[in-house]
Amino acid sequence: MKSIYLAGLLPLLAVAQASTLFEDTFDRADSRNIQEVLDGIDNQTGTAFEPGGDPSGTPVYLHGHIDPASGFAGGFAAPDTDPVNGASARIVNNTLELAAEQQGTSNAIINHNFTNASILAAGGFSVSLDVRARGTVANGNGGGFALGMSLAEALATGDAFSGNPRLTGGLGSNIGAGNIVPVEVASDFWIILRANGSLAWGGAAGTTGIFGISAGQGIPNTPFGTITVNFLLDDFDAGGTVNYEVFYNGDLRGTGSFTWSGTNENYIGLEGRNGSGVNLDNLRIATDFFEPEIAPPFITAFEATTLGGGFARLHWDIGGGPFDVVIKAGSTTLHTSTDPRGFADVDAQGATDFTLTVSNAAGDDFLDTFLAAENGFSTVVRADGPVAWYRFNETFFSSLVIDSADNATPHNGTLIGGVLLDSPGTLDGAAGFLGADASVLAGFILDPAAAMPGYTIEAIVRRYPASPVNAAIVSQNDGTGTGRSHLAVDSDGTIQTFLAGGPPQRKDADVRLPPNVWAHLVMVVDTVTPEIRWYLDGELIGSTADGINPENSVFDPNFTLESATGAWRIGTQKLANQNFWLGDMDEVAVYDFLLDDPDGNGNLSDNRVPAHASAWLGAATGLLGFHADAATILPGGSTTLHVKVGADVTSITIDNGVGAVMPVNGVASVIISPAETTTYTITVQSPGSGQQTQLVTIVVEAVPQEGPEIVSAAISDGDFHIVFRGAPSMTYQVRGSLDLEAFDIDLGTAATDGDGEGSATIPLVPGRSRQFYRIEGIPAP
């Protein structure tokens, strides 16, 4: 077996004499018959292709899945309205558009078995394709190619999302890093650029999972780029190994290998799935190999983690290359490598600062990092041995979110969307999640159903007032089994989980998480009892034991946790398309035991959660939160202001007559009764955070005006007339209802005269549903 270029580990392959086997620029007239003429095609395969698309001859392309009306037998007409039987294929603007004209999938199989003797002589071949995955931003939409099939296998393929069999495996539901390749996949290798800006590739059914996934490579909403894959092989025999390397826009994105499932079976097909088309261009299959130009290296991440025994774990992520990596503490070399992404455990020898240098013939780059200072909270977390721990102490430009748990291999995460690292936290750095698309795809996997006697999730969080419904702190992809949102917070602050059954079996804690307040949140999942327990700032705030949520919805307390082996996510639900966290997050840790019952004997006397909460509050600095029980009160009413601060705070004052506040264990509460709408400003002073201020506005509602009285109502001249009496010279709102519950139909206004007499006229529309009407006062501004 010949070697393959492995990200700088081996020298570049020698360039073989360029030899195009097949090339299609699709530069021909617009048509649903994608091969009406053969313009733009360079054919050196040895197969004599014919124009026209008649499958009884030798057309260039055959369609395994296409709308019947848009195929040869349908006369290449417009597709029907059924997305299940496929979309059309057409030449548009000198590109091949698949998944065209309606929702669905279409593919195009090149009518040649690419087992040419020239491929064996060259030791392999390369495939290159330009892809623009337009339309809906979702991992179920996109385009790419597949190979390693018999013609019968390729032509039997169906819809890319749910068909049986499928040409590719990158467009099905819940496809992500760590997922199993769908059993329906017919090809030996496939690669897809997806509309959510990720590149996914993998093997045939029965393989252990997707070989690779690379996020954020496309143009937002219209990911566009060139996919190129080099394939090195000795033969086309079943079981024979093929090494490959994947490039996107010239950058190496991954390497690996697969085996042929059949002998001399290497048909190549193109595929697209979308609601508005996927454009493909410049397809080239050749016996030369793509070799990127050597680019100067650049460091996108260099982070350090404290380990026990005086060791440090150093993590890096580097672009460009190939290159040499050297890590030093001062003048002492601690580690060398050529890996673009990796980690090394080194004897720090007392050092806390480290320098990474990368270099090649085109240039060099360097970056410093340091070990984050330990504090009271990190000490108790480290002592309890989490299996994953994301401290969010990375620099703001880092491409990695590192796992600080002391495992043999870290479960480092990848940033997706609007996550702001190096945001101010309560201990050191934190991460700001901007909602919309912000999340972290972690390398961590724990199967809830297999965790015995259970597991624990811990996080320090602050949600923003506009946070969405079911905003996930931690969730899990499906993998095999069903993934769920493990720990989430609803828009009203309700702390919840969707483990064991999803939305119908939603389980809520009894205390809400207020907005704009940093809090220590823990969820313990006891898989044996079974029971889920929540803790807020060290206090038990709910359990699933009674099977009743605070608003009286019910669930089965004797639940069985569903198995799931997918990767975990931070800041969104499993599909990363909704329930995004809006706020800040820090110190997300997972333990493979019950933190409130470490020995698992059911006796919570050795509960470690209060110790963790106390350690956090004792190490936290500055203002942690300022909020009111109620932001709106009636005249003469009252509400309570709550203050939470770190242990280093030296003074707290609230204006508008409240004055100095003295916290107990970091918390203080003050009852206020403003006579009118008032904004209260808290000012906190601490050596760690300096002076901080925060505002809370309490709205005092105006006294509701006296309601009007209906005098009479009658139908006349096709209208409904209402006579009413109210306050003199007052404007009232006229509203309608279909059910006497929600009066949400706006019918305008009606005013009274100086004597308080008024009338309203409502046109009656034939055929309109029966309505009820009322006159109501307009709230004061």
Side-chain angles (χ1 to χ4, degrees):
M1 172 57 58
K2 297 177 177 62
S3 298
I4 195 165
Y5 165 51
L6 293 174
L9 291 176
L10 299 175
L12 290 172
L13 294 167
V15 179
Q17 182 177 358
S19 179
T20 298
L21 289 172
F22 180 84
E23 186 171 19
D24 194 348
T25 63
F26 304 104
D27 292 344
R28 43 191 179 270
D30 290 359
S31 175
R32 289 194 187 92
N33 182 353
I34 67 174
Q35 51 203 320
E36 185 172 6
V37 295
L38 303 188
D39 296 350
I41 295 176
D42 180 6
N43 174 32
Q44 305 297 327
T45 63
T47 298
F49 295 130
E50 302 170 0
D54 185 346
S56 66
T58 314
V60 182
Y61 296 100
L62 297 168
H63 297 291
H65 191 63
I66 191 171
D67 191 289
S70 299
F72 179 83
F76 303 110
D80 59 28
T81 58
D82 182 7
V84 175
N85 65 4
S88 75
R90 61 182 180 175
I91 300 295
V92 175
N93 298 324
N94 295 324
T95 68
L96 170 63
E97 185 175 81
L98 297 179
E101 300 186 89
Q102 70 167 22
Q103 290 184 344
T105 299
S106 59
N107 59 32
I109 315 302
I110 305 170
N111 192 17
H112 174 77
N113 192 11
F114 285 88
T115 57
N116 299 59
S118 58
I119 293 177
L120 293 177
F125 63 103
S126 62
V127 181
S128 182
L129 179 69
D130 294 344
V131 181
R132 183 182 294 276
R134 297 186 291 109
T136 305
V137 179
N139 64 3
N141 296 327
F145 67 84
L147 51 82
M149 299 167 285
S150 68
L151 182 59
E153 287 175 325
L155 293 181
T157 53
D159 181 73
F161 189 82
S162 58
N164 188 6
R166 306 179 196 176
L167 187 73
T168 66
L171 297 174
S173 58
N174 305 329
I175 295 297
N179 292 149
I180 299 299
V181 175
V183 296
E184 297 87 357
V185 172
S187 57
D188 291 341
F189 176 89
W190 49 265
I191 183 167
I192 293 289
L193 178 61
R194 306 189 295 185
N196 66 351
S198 64
L199 185 67
W201 62 92
T207 55
T208 57
I210 287 181
F211 292 144
I213 184 166
S214 176
Q217 294 299 316
I219 301 170
N221 298 324
T222 54
F224 174 78
T226 300
I227 300 168
T228 306
V229 186
N230 292 334
F231 300 96
L232 272 76
L233 53 98
D234 287 334
D235 54 49
F236 291 101
D237 297 336
T241 299
V242 182
N243 289 329
Y244 68 85
E245 47 188 12
V246 173
F247 298 90
Y248 178 76
N249 286 343
D251 293 331
L252 182 68
R253 305 307 302 179
T255 62
S257 65
F258 63 91
T259 57
W260 297 120
S261 61
T263 297
N264 292 327
E265 295 180 353
N266 192 27
Y267 279 84
I268 298 176
L270 309 178
E271 182 163 71
R273 182 181 185 274
N274 209 319
S276 57
V278 175
N279 293 89
L280 308 177
D281 204 2
N282 299 318
L283 169 66
R284 181 175 183 265
I285 303 166
T287 56
D288 57 356
F289 300 104
F290 176 78
E291 295 182 11
E293 295 181 5
I294 297 179
F298 55 93
I299 303 169
T300 61
F302 182 42
E303 307 292 344
T305 300
T306 298
L307 298 178
F311 279 75
R313 177 168 287 169
L314 305 172
H315 317 249
W316 65 87
D317 192 17
I318 306 166
F323 42 72
D324 295 316
V325 177
V326 178
I327 299 176
K328 292 184 176 182
S331 60
T332 302
T333 298
L334 301 177
H335 185 73
T336 61
S337 176
T338 55
D339 294 334
R341 175 181 280 202
F343 73 96
D345 294 342
V346 300
D347 185 350
Q349 302 176 26
T352 57
D353 294 64
F354 310 93
T355 300
L356 168 67
T357 302
V358 291
S359 58
N360 62 18
D364 55 37
D365 194 12
F366 73 93
L367 188 64
D368 295 326
T369 192
F370 59 91
L371 292 173
E374 295 297 287
N375 53 57
F377 181 72
S378 65
T379 299
V380 299
V381 172
R382 196 179 302 282
D384 281 327
V387 290
W389 181 19
Y390 301 96
R391 299 184 66 182
F392 291 112
N393 285 335
E394 296 80 10
T395 53
F396 75 95
F397 59 81
S398 178
S399 60
L400 288 178
V401 173
I402 61 174
D403 174 19
S404 294
D406 195 352
N407 297 314
T409 301
H411 310 112
N412 289 342
T414 301
L415 292 169
I416 300 173
V419 181
L420 300 180
L421 297 174
D422 202 29
S423 296
T426 64
L427 302 169
D428 35 45
F433 288 74
L434 303 183
D437 64 346
S439 64
V440 175
L441 178 61
F444 178 71
I445 295 175
L446 180 147
D447 184 352
M452 294 295 171
Y455 62 99
T456 302
I457 299 171
E458 176 179 36
I460 296 170
V461 297
R462 176 172 64 176
R463 74 177 186 93
Y464 293 164
S467 57
V469 298
N470 308 330
I473 297 173
V474 170
S475 70
Q476 183 175 18
N477 295 341
D478 285 347
T480 56
T482 302
R484 300 290 185 190
S485 287
H486 290 239
L487 178 59
V489 180
D490 208 355
S491 54
D492 65 356
T494 299
I495 301 165
Q496 56 193 195
T497 184
F498 292 90
L499 290 174
Q505 287 286 293
R506 186 197 79 239
K507 304 165 185 64
D508 295 342
D510 298 331
V511 176
R512 293 176 179 175
L513 179 68
N516 285 329
V517 176
W518 282 101
H520 178 262
L521 183 59
V522 170
M523 184 176 80
V524 178
V525 181
D526 183 338
T527 59
V528 176
T529 302
E531 184 182 6
I532 295 174
R533 298 181 288 272
W534 293 273
Y535 295 85
L536 184 62
D537 292 337
E539 297 292 329
L540 181 66
I541 60 166
S543 163
T544 60
D546 60 5
I548 303 175
N549 286 321
E551 91 298 355
N552 292 322
S553 64
V554 298
F555 55 87
D556 183 2
N558 298 312
F559 53 83
T560 299
L561 292 179
E562 302 157 302
S563 179
T565 60
W568 283 33
R569 291 185 182 275
I570 300 173
T572 185
Q573 51 86 274
K574 64 182 181 180
L575 298 182
N577 61 6
Q578 60 183 324
N579 306 137
F580 292 101
W581 184 258
L582 180 62
D584 301 304
M585 204 178 299
D586 200 7
E587 306 290 348
V588 177
V590 183
Y591 304 84
D592 60 355
F593 62 92
L594 311 180
L595 193 61
D596 62 356
D597 183 16
D599 57 11
N601 64 0
N603 184 350
L604 304 188
S605 61
D606 52 357
N607 189 348
R608 295 284 300 146
V609 176
H612 282 229
S614 295
W616 166 64
L617 200 59
T621 179
L623 178 62
L624 305 180
F626 180 45
H627 75 286
D629 281 344
T632 302
I633 61 175
L634 294 174
S638 63
T639 186
T640 302
L641 297 175
H642 298 278
V643 181
K644 184 191 291 188
V645 294
D648 70 335
V649 167
T650 56
S651 68
I652 305 171
T653 56
I654 303 176
D655 63 359
N656 290 313
V658 177
V661 175
M662 297 299 294
V664 177
N665 295 326
V667 177
S669 299
V670 179
I671 299 175
I672 57 170
S673 299
E676 59 184 2
T677 297
T678 304
T679 296
Y680 293 87
T681 302
I682 188 171
T683 302
V684 172
Q685 192 75 37
S686 70
S689 299
Q691 181 173 297
Q692 298 171 280
T693 61
Q694 189 172 330
L695 309 178
V696 168
T697 297
I698 306 301
V699 176
V700 180
E701 287 187 333
V703 177
Q705 62 186 7
E706 183 178 350
E709 176 185 1
I710 302 295
V711 175
S712 65
I715 297 175
S716 175
D717 298 327
D719 295 328
F720 190 63
H721 299 274
I722 301 174
V723 177
F724 67 95
R725 182 179 295 108
S729 304
M730 181 69 67
T731 299
Y732 291 89
Q733 180 74 51
V734 183
R735 292 190 174 276
S737 171
L738 297 177
D739 55 10
L740 275 177
E741 293 184 4
F743 281 82
D744 52 5
I745 302 173
D746 188 350
L747 298 172
T749 60
T752 56
D753 57 20
D755 295 326
E757 304 292 334
S759 65
T761 299
I762 303 166
L764 298 180
V765 179
R768 186 172 64 187
S769 300
R770 181 184 63 175
Q771 293 184 356
F772 305 91
Y773 306 106
R774 77 181 183 191
I775 311 296
E776 61 183 40
I778 298 176

